[in-house]
Amino acid sequence: MEQQTWDTVRRLVAWLDAESRPMSPEVARLLRVLKISEEAGEVAEAVHGALGGNPRKGASHTWADVERELCDVILTAMVALASLTPDARKVFEEHVSCVADRSLG
């Protein structure tokens, strides 16, 4: 990912640190990791809505909604990772490389 993206993630982490209710760094990190599950649930809700899977709600979402919710999951995970380590970009790129080597040979 581009450096600009990770710079934005760092700015978001700093904003969250400054604007969140006072709490220990450990609790703040934990809440940021747990936020990923919340966002993943929103993806599931959007998929159900795009497929009309809930008869009570019908087609309540579009695939564009699913795309946006997936972006929220990715961004939330990036913020959580950057909250855990100052080397988030390096950690992520190394992990992607390992997965690619293992999966793609």
Side-chain angles (χ1 to χ4, degrees):
M1 291 190 181
E2 293 183 22
Q3 182 62 43
Q4 179 181 355
T5 299
W6 285 104
D7 290 343
T8 300
V9 167
R10 273 192 290 283
R11 289 179 35 231
L12 288 167
V13 169
W15 174 77
L16 285 168
D17 288 345
E19 297 296 324
S20 296
R21 291 179 45 205
M23 64 185 76
S24 71
E26 294 81 16
V27 171
R29 288 190 299 261
L30 175 62
L31 290 175
R32 290 175 194 171
V33 170
L34 292 176
K35 182 75 173 166
I36 299 166
S37 294
E38 179 185 334
E39 295 296 342
E42 292 176 15
V43 172
E45 180 181 5
V47 169
H48 277 273
L51 294 174
N54 183 336
R56 186 174 54 81
K57 293 182 179 180
S60 59
H61 291 77
T62 66
W63 287 105
D65 294 323
V66 175
E67 292 170 4
R68 282 188 293 277
E69 296 299 345
L70 284 169
C71 289
D72 285 348
V73 171
I74 294 165
L75 181 56
T76 301
M78 292 173 75
V79 166
L81 182 60
S83 297
L84 293 174
T85 176
D87 296 323
R89 180 180 182 179
K90 180 180 178 217
V91 168
F92 181 72
E93 288 176 355
E94 287 175 355
H95 185 74
V96 169
S97 180
C98 286
V99 170
D101 288 348
R102 182 176 65 234
S103 301
L104 305 173

